[in-house]
Amino acid sequence: MDDLDRAIVVATQEGLPLSLRPYDDVARSVGLEPADVINRMEKMLKSGVIRRNGVVPNHYALGYKANGMTVWDVPDDQISALGRRVGALDFVSHCYHRPRHLPDWPYNLFCMVHGRDHESVEKHTRQILMILGDAARDHRILYSTRILKKSGLRLVA
Amino acid sequence: MDELDKKMIDGFQRGVPLVERPYAAIAEKLGVSEDEVIEALKVLKENGALSRVGAVFKPNTVGHSTLAAMAVEPDRLEDVAAVVSNFDAVNHNYEREHRLNLWFVVTATDSQGVQQVIEDIEHMTGIKVLNLPMLEDYHLDLGFDLQWN
């Protein structure tokens, strides 16, 4: 990643213009030719910097109003293998290892589950529990009760 | 939400080719015109069904971010949430059901910028902020499998 790649990320993080030739606009804003922007993005896609390219639905607007952050206390020496299995589930939108803060916060695996209602979030949580088995020493579902702010990633270069 | 909308959301969360006319590529696969695709995407974006169209970047590719949590007394929640949301560096802020009831994401160009925002929030509110940065990412991001009903 060089400065031009970073400029492309900044220019496209809020989405592509819905115009006939959207990369022309991106190219103009970063001072490259459209073909160069596309080549660089192709490389970022191959290297994994870009995970996917396509439409990004808003779960909430599409009826997935229950958003449960499930948090798990699993042994550190098993978290990578277990995390990868849970992270592959299609109802999990984020799955991260994060630090514990004892004694306030014993959980080290965070898996965001989206559902149309609490019942479906709970069903999905049980599916995660089946995968984790005895490794899940404790877990919680933290539902969001209010969205106080939500905007796309907005970094300036 | 008509059939074209559903087909676009189901079929094009990934794999939209990086070409000069991406909407023409979608249109060709769906057997509709490029204008129809662009028009439908505009409507979906306006009514909020789509956040955006484009690349989804790996976290912390450009800049740094962290998840942060605070335990706020209920009668102070409005005020503290407003202080937190007022930072441009905070792009998500949720109230959640737990003693730690305010959860937000801080994003800045580097880790020092993130740390500074956390310290500013602690200073302004007098409440400790739990910093929970990502240590490892396990999510295989293939898009979201929506169940239409």
Side-chain angles (χ1 to χ4, degrees):
Chain A
M1 293 263 308
D2 61 14
D3 286 347
L4 282 168
D5 289 335
R6 279 187 274 275
I8 291 170
V9 176
V10 170
T12 58
Q13 64 192 349
E14 289 187 75
L16 281 183
L18 295 168
S19 58
L20 288 174
R21 306 176 63 86
Y23 294 104
D24 288 13
D25 300 312
V26 177
R28 253 192 308 279
S29 76
V30 299
L32 288 171
E33 292 298 315
D36 298 328
V37 170
I38 288 171
N39 282 337
R40 282 171 172 272
M41 290 184 76
E42 198 70 64
K43 282 190 189 132
M44 287 192 263
L45 186 64
K46 284 207 178 82
S47 71
V49 168
I50 293 177
R51 290 181 143 176
R52 57 189 169 94
N53 189 54
V55 303
V56 182
N58 176 342
H59 303 129
Y60 193 85
L62 292 169
Y64 284 74
K65 303 225 187 266
N67 145 357
M69 184 173 77
T70 71
V71 295
W72 308 79
D73 172 15
V74 301
D76 289 331
D77 60 355
Q78 295 178 49
I79 193 170
S80 289
L82 293 169
R84 274 192 288 275
R85 290 180 61 196
V86 176
L89 297 168
D90 61 11
F91 53 80
V92 170
S93 70
H94 299 79
C95 187
Y96 298 136
H97 179 193
R98 297 186 184 276
R100 298 186 180 90
H101 281 261
L102 296 171
D104 296 344
W105 188 256
Y107 308 104
N108 57 345
L109 180 64
F110 288 60
C111 310
M112 193 65 75
V113 174
H114 295 274
R116 292 193 180 276
D117 46 40
H118 285 201
E119 200 185 333
S120 61
V121 170
E122 273 143 36
K123 190 184 87 189
H124 292 324
T125 303
R126 286 193 295 275
Q127 288 170 272
I128 296 174
L129 185 56
M130 297 238 296
I131 289 175
L132 297 177
D134 292 341
R137 296 182 289 213
D138 187 10
H139 76 279
R140 293 281 306 251
I141 306 174
L142 274 67
Y143 288 108
S144 66
T145 41
R146 260 193 305 170
I147 301 175
L148 301 158
K149 183 174 185 181
K150 187 174 196 301
S151 55
L153 178 67
R154 263 182 317 196
L155 273 179
V156 286
Chain B
M1 192 77 59
D2 64 17
E3 284 310 305
L4 175 61
D5 296 336
K6 290 181 186 175
K7 278 183 189 164
M8 286 195 299
I9 292 172
D10 285 339
F12 295 93
Q13 288 184 46
R14 59 192 171 114
V16 171
L18 289 159
V19 294
E20 297 205 358
R21 292 173 67 174
Y23 308 118
I26 295 175
E28 197 189 333
K29 285 194 183 149
L30 293 176
V32 296
S33 74
E34 185 179 14
D35 285 340
E36 281 175 87
V37 166
I38 290 175
E39 209 39 56
L41 289 173
K42 279 184 181 164
V43 172
L44 288 171
K45 189 137 184 271
E46 270 159 31
N47 69 22
L50 289 189
S51 301
R52 63 183 192 278
V53 180
V56 175
F57 295 95
K58 194 172 78 174
N60 293 344
T61 301
V62 174
H64 269 259
S65 66
T66 197
L67 179 68
M70 297 169 87
V72 186
E73 285 171 30
D75 61 347
R76 283 192 67 196
L77 189 68
E78 284 306 318
D79 291 344
V80 172
V83 168
V84 170
S85 292
N86 199 37
F87 280 85
D88 285 339
V90 171
N91 51 336
H92 289 73
N93 188 12
Y94 289 88
E95 181 188 0
R96 293 191 179 278
E97 290 174 330
H98 191 267
R99 194 180 70 82
L100 289 159
N101 51 356
L102 196 62
W103 290 79
F104 51 95
V105 176
V106 180
T107 302
T109 47
D110 54 34
S111 59
Q112 283 162 301
V114 170
Q115 190 55 40
Q116 189 60 54
V117 170
I118 286 177
E119 284 171 20
D120 287 349
I121 290 172
E122 286 183 330
H123 182 72
M124 291 169 77
T125 62
I127 300 170
K128 186 181 157 199
V129 175
L130 236 59
N131 185 358
L132 300 160
M134 178 187 88
L135 301 178
E136 201 176 353
D137 182 1
Y138 304 118
H139 181 224
L140 191 67
D141 189 351
L142 302 176
F144 191 75
D145 186 17
L146 282 153
Q147 308 294 320
W148 304 104
N149 59 7

